[in-house]
Amino acid sequence: MHWDIFCRVIDNHGDLGVCWRLCADLTQRGHSVRLWVDDASALAWMAPQGCASIKVHVWPTDAALQTLAQDAAFKVGDVVVEAFGCALPEAFQALMVQGTPPVWINLEYLSAERYVARSHGLASPVMSGPARGLMKWFFFPGFTPDTGGLLREPNLLDTSPAQDNTPSPFISRRSKFDRAAWLAALPLDQPIAANERLISLFCYEPAALPDLLMQLSQADERTRLLVTQGRPSAAVTAATQALNLPPSGTGQLQISQLPYFSQTDFDHLLWACDLNFVRGEDSLVRALWAGQPLVWHIYPQDDLAHHDKLHAFEAALDMPLLLRKFHAIWNGLETGPLPPVSRAMLEDWRDWSSRTQHRLQSQTDLTTALLGFVAQKR
Ligand code: TRH
């Protein structure tokens, strides 16, 4: 099938990150995709290799769409995805009613809250505008079989670290992963030593970050903190300055700043680390698939709606109590010292991550569910 996927970048990288992963998964399954996006600049690092079957277009102006309307060769896709309520241009909606109407999907944000299962798959009749009379369908990702599921490309878990040891170059395809070779090829000031435990950091600006840095610097074990580019890197710089620490860390803590990775190498980072701090939506899902201990920094909302969202996630995935406590402090719901990241605690969290990965893996993945849903609605 042919797909038109519309994405607006609100802030950060999640909107485009999720859309690109969906596009890539669809093309891997033989579909062709046009991705319409208002700011594609992050694709330069997220997907530097591009993808022949994904045509990236700038968000269309009315004038551009009027020109397209004159082009006899242009056809709207069989499926149109409006990602995260981004609102399709009216001139595109006008094109949608010219031939056989596409299946129109409103792809929503990920949440474990109860309304998700209730709302998944509901119809929303279009009552006004050029597409009046068409139907939009709500499609909600989620953590239970009565939702749209989670993005998971077909071969993803066959190639996770536990199952594969074939060497690969630094920018590798997702087919093979060798942890040691991947880590050795990272552009770091100091190579990683065998006795260092590895923690990746992808977050916003958690108030508890200085506490984490101090705790790690005084821990029993040596830790390498691998800090991702952008807001995490700026937050760590600000925290080390406020604490009067060297930028490269102190005591048992060594801090290394990473470059922007492709999504493939971002996954590799999550596979390679002993603990992953992730944020937002897409990196959370990828950390769940990595099966390593994780801490989630949820996207903060002004009305504090993220508090309920975090609690629903903890409950849905039956998170251990100490990990919930860590999340409450990391996300600013509670104050006080972070529980120490001890070896015993990481073991406990690893058991939970591994059980959670297995449980979620038994669910239908989002793209398969979406294809089934579209087939019903055509
Ligand atoms: O960037 P985010 O905070 O995006 C957020 C959330 O999706 C949030 O729910 C949404 O409302 C808001 O955007 C507008 O976190 P997220 O979702 O994990 O997206 C990050 C993407 O960036 C993900 O696809 C992984 C990718 N990435 C790389 O590919 N390479 C990198 O080096 C890094 C740091 C990230």
Side-chain angles (χ1 to χ4, degrees):
M1 285 189 292
H2 298 289
W3 295 63
D4 280 305
I5 297 186
F6 284 80
C7 172
R8 274 193 192 278
V9 176
I10 307 291
D11 58 4
N12 302 303
H13 311 307
D15 304 281
L16 187 55
V18 170
C19 286
W20 183 264
R21 291 222 200 251
L22 174 61
C23 293
D25 196 1
L26 284 167
T27 60
Q28 220 188 325
R29 300 173 197 229
H31 299 262
S32 67
V33 182
R34 274 187 298 239
L35 173 62
W36 306 84
V37 55
D38 62 344
D39 178 4
S41 54
L43 290 180
W45 47 268
M46 228 184 242
Q49 75 288 359
C51 173
S53 310
I54 306 173
K55 302 279 178 259
V56 180
H57 294 262
V58 291
W59 189 270
T61 59
D62 283 354
L65 287 166
Q66 273 146 23
T67 311
L68 271 185
Q70 312 300 321
D71 180 353
F74 180 81
K75 276 182 62 182
V76 169
D78 306 296
V79 189
V80 174
V81 176
E82 182 177 332
F84 315 120
C86 67
L88 299 185
E90 291 218 333
F92 191 85
Q93 295 181 35
L95 291 174
M96 287 163 64
V97 289
Q98 278 179 7
T100 311
V103 180
W104 185 351
I105 300 286
N106 197 340
L107 177 66
E108 284 292 339
Y109 285 109
L110 173 65
S111 175
E113 288 160 291
R114 285 182 193 281
Y115 74 84
V116 167
R118 280 200 309 272
S119 317
H120 174 61
L122 290 186
S124 165
V126 181
M127 308 298 273
S128 60
R132 187 161 168 249
L134 292 194
M135 198 65 93
K136 252 195 242 194
W137 300 96
F138 283 106
F139 196 92
F140 280 83
F143 301 93
T144 49
D146 49 4
T147 68
L150 302 172
L151 277 169
R152 188 185 78 238
E153 51 276 32
N155 55 356
L156 180 68
L157 297 184
D158 306 340
T159 57
S160 61
Q163 289 130 16
D164 199 291
N165 283 315
T166 315
S168 67
F170 173 52
I171 302 294
S172 63
R173 293 189 301 278
R174 191 176 287 163
S175 54
K176 305 288 175 195
F177 181 66
D178 179 314
R179 180 177 186 267
W182 188 83
L183 288 171
L186 281 177
L188 304 178
D189 292 349
Q190 291 286 325
I192 291 168
N195 64 346
E196 281 178 302
R197 63 178 177 176
L198 304 185
I199 300 183
S200 74
L201 183 70
F202 183 47
C203 59
Y204 305 111
E205 291 78 23
L209 181 58
D211 180 24
L212 178 72
L213 300 183
M214 287 312 295
Q215 180 203 122
L216 295 177
S217 70
Q218 292 159 8
D220 294 340
E221 290 184 65
R222 286 178 59 76
T223 298
R224 178 71 65 110
L225 188 67
L226 295 167
V227 183
T228 56
Q229 257 318 299
R231 290 174 67 172
S233 164
V236 168
T237 302
T240 50
Q241 281 170 359
L243 292 166
N244 221 359
L245 298 182
S248 60
T250 185
Q252 295 284 63
L253 172 66
Q254 167 111 36
I255 301 173
S256 295
Q257 303 276 351
L258 299 173
Y260 272 117
F261 283 138
S262 67
Q263 279 190 330
T264 306
D265 273 310
F266 183 74
D267 285 352
H268 290 167
L269 174 71
L270 303 180
W271 293 355
C273 286
D274 302 298
L275 170 63
N276 294 307
F277 284 83
V278 288
R279 74 179 200 200
E281 186 164 322
D282 185 63
S283 57
L284 170 66
V285 174
R286 306 312 283 193
L288 287 166
W289 295 141
Q292 304 284 47
L294 67 94
V295 175
W296 185 29
H297 199 190
I298 190 167
Y299 184 74
Q301 288 166 270
D302 291 340
D303 57 1
L304 303 185
H306 60 289
H307 290 196
D308 287 345
K309 197 169 167 173
L310 177 63
H311 289 139
F313 170 76
E314 292 169 351
L317 299 186
D318 201 14
M319 194 185 267
L321 284 181
L322 205 52
L323 189 51
R324 289 185 198 213
K325 177 81 181 167
F326 203 106
H327 274 83
I329 297 169
W330 189 245
N331 283 283
L333 277 64
E334 284 179 26
T335 52
L338 288 167
V341 182
S342 65
R343 185 181 284 245
M345 196 168 83
L346 276 187
E347 280 306 316
D348 200 30
W349 293 0
R350 185 169 295 111
D351 283 350
W352 171 77
S353 306
S354 165
R355 269 186 280 118
T356 305
Q357 188 207 47
H358 280 97
R359 202 185 105 196
L360 294 174
Q361 199 183 337
S362 65
Q363 267 178 227
T364 305
D365 70 275
L366 186 142
T367 305
T368 304
L370 182 58
L371 288 169
F373 187 79
V374 166
Q376 278 174 22
K377 305 300 174 201
R378 287 187 85 193

